[in-house]
Amino acid sequence: MRRIIATVKGVSAYSQSKHHETPKLERELHDAFEARTWREKTHANEAENIIIPSTAFKNGLAATAKFLGMQIPGKGKQTYTKHFESGLLVIDPMVLPVLKSEVESERIFVPSDGKRGGGKRVWKYFPVIPEWGGDIIVYVLDDIITKEVFDTHLEAMGKFVGVGRFRPQNNGYYGRFEVVETVEVKD
């Protein structure tokens, strides 16, 4: 098993939209509820730091492998997709130096059902982090994924898939990043 420590830096803002089940107060209107509870849409650790869940990077790399459809040399038409889906492990989230209590928000007019093109629209608040970045540790379990192949996929993920709400994978532009450095550590 190998570890790749990747340092990334956001090139666009990062936003989250975690589902929460905070109950409405009696007679509370939708706008008042949104204004009161939008911070609950963040992912945060016990110290109340905003985190980017490990699954955002794991799933993003798998989606990138599918998007690129890069063929494995010497394996015919076989691509890296299944190897990225089952041969990588990201355990720890990326901890950002932003507290849940201090995160900024944006108010946007979105479809009430959350589906693009929906008829009824409502105002919603979402947390936004303008500048972000940090390290992710990826455990590479499948030797077919070389460091060069990993680097290619991580760089493409930063451009075409991203992380978080309104990322490129979902027709947005938030959550894009550049790869500052990757270091391979063999255990």
Side-chain angles (χ1 to χ4, degrees):
M1 174 173 57
R2 299 171 291 139
R3 283 182 296 145
I4 296 178
I5 302 168
T7 304
V8 302
K9 181 178 189 276
V11 296
S12 64
Y14 169 68
S15 182
Q16 297 183 332
S17 61
K18 182 182 113 186
H19 175 75
H20 66 91
E21 295 182 343
T22 305
K24 276 189 173 183
L25 301 176
E26 190 175 327
R27 297 180 188 233
E28 185 174 34
L29 298 175
H30 171 78
D31 286 341
F33 174 76
E34 274 293 312
R36 179 176 65 87
T37 64
W38 66 267
R39 279 192 169 87
E40 298 307 313
K41 295 177 184 174
T42 61
H43 294 271
N45 62 14
E46 291 176 5
E48 294 293 305
N49 282 86
I50 302 293
I51 62 168
I52 300 177
S54 58
T55 54
F57 292 100
K58 166 67 170 93
N59 295 341
L61 284 163
T64 302
K66 188 173 185 177
F67 172 76
L68 291 179
M70 211 168 129
Q71 294 179 356
I72 302 170
K75 298 279 187 174
K77 297 281 186 191
Q78 187 178 355
T79 68
Y80 285 99
T81 304
K82 70 180 181 182
H83 299 278
F84 271 81
E85 289 173 346
S86 62
L88 294 181
L89 185 60
V90 182
I91 297 172
D92 298 315
M94 179 185 288
V95 179
L96 302 179
V98 178
L99 295 176
K100 181 177 178 177
S101 62
E102 297 173 350
V103 69
E104 299 173 23
S105 73
E106 68 179 351
R107 182 177 182 238
I108 56 177
F109 204 50
V110 297
S112 61
D113 61 1
K115 296 178 183 167
R116 195 169 48 168
K120 186 178 178 195
R121 298 178 81 78
V122 294
W123 287 104
K124 289 204 176 227
Y125 292 82
F126 294 96
V128 177
I129 296 117
E131 294 182 15
W132 62 279
D135 292 342
I136 37 176
I137 301 171
V138 180
Y139 294 89
V140 182
L141 310 172
D142 191 331
D143 289 335
I144 218 123
I145 302 171
T146 64
K147 183 174 182 303
E148 293 75 26
V149 168
F150 176 85
D151 288 351
T152 299
H153 282 74
L154 185 63
E155 287 172 16
M157 179 188 165
K159 294 175 185 171
F160 305 115
V161 175
V163 291
R165 179 189 71 83
F166 201 58
R167 63 187 178 272
Q169 181 183 25
N170 295 340
N171 297 310
Y173 49 84
Y174 281 176
R176 293 176 297 118
F177 60 86
E178 65 183 8
V179 179
V180 176
E181 176 183 44
T182 60
V183 177
E184 185 173 41
V185 180
K186 295 183 181 178
D187 291 332

